[in-house]
Amino acid sequence: MPITWIVLPSRHAGSLTPDSVNAAGDRLPTGIDAVPADTRHCVSISSLNSFDDSARWKVTVGEFRPGIKPWIAEQTITTRTLDGVTLISEITATPA
């Protein structure tokens, strides 16, 4: 399966569907801007299922900020393909 690596700076908030349902809501661009430039990430993405124009993904993100203990977050991300463009429609945290 081909994997596309996407860098999502806040100026690209258009990468969300117009009807996206995200726990972070409008805070997503602010959160992205708050990450120090020298932060490293390790990301694992696994397909959960697909239906019609949507797909669900299990995403595990390890974040390594300088001077802070690393942390890992698990999320489920739903994408939708609209007019040939794949966008994020939902991001939910996976309960611990």
Side-chain angles (χ1 to χ4, degrees), residues 16-96:
L16 302 174
T17 61
D19 62 345
S20 67
V21 178
N22 293 297
D26 292 335
R27 296 175 296 171
L28 184 61
T30 303
I32 292 170
D33 288 343
V35 176
D38 50 353
T39 298
R40 295 176 297 129
H41 293 89
C42 180
V43 180
S44 171
I45 303 171
S46 303
S47 177
L48 293 173
N49 55 27
S50 297
F51 44 96
D52 297 326
D53 65 351
S54 300
R56 291 181 64 231
W57 308 88
K58 176 185 175 187
V59 178
T60 303
V61 179
E63 184 172 277
F64 304 87
R65 293 185 184 203
I68 297 176
K69 182 178 176 181
W71 62 268
I72 296 175
E74 290 192 356
Q75 303 169 329
T76 299
I77 296 181
T78 303
T79 58
R80 287 182 49 213
T81 301
L82 306 171
D83 298 323
V85 177
T86 301
L87 303 169
I88 297 170
S89 62
E90 185 173 11
I91 301 172
T92 55
T94 302

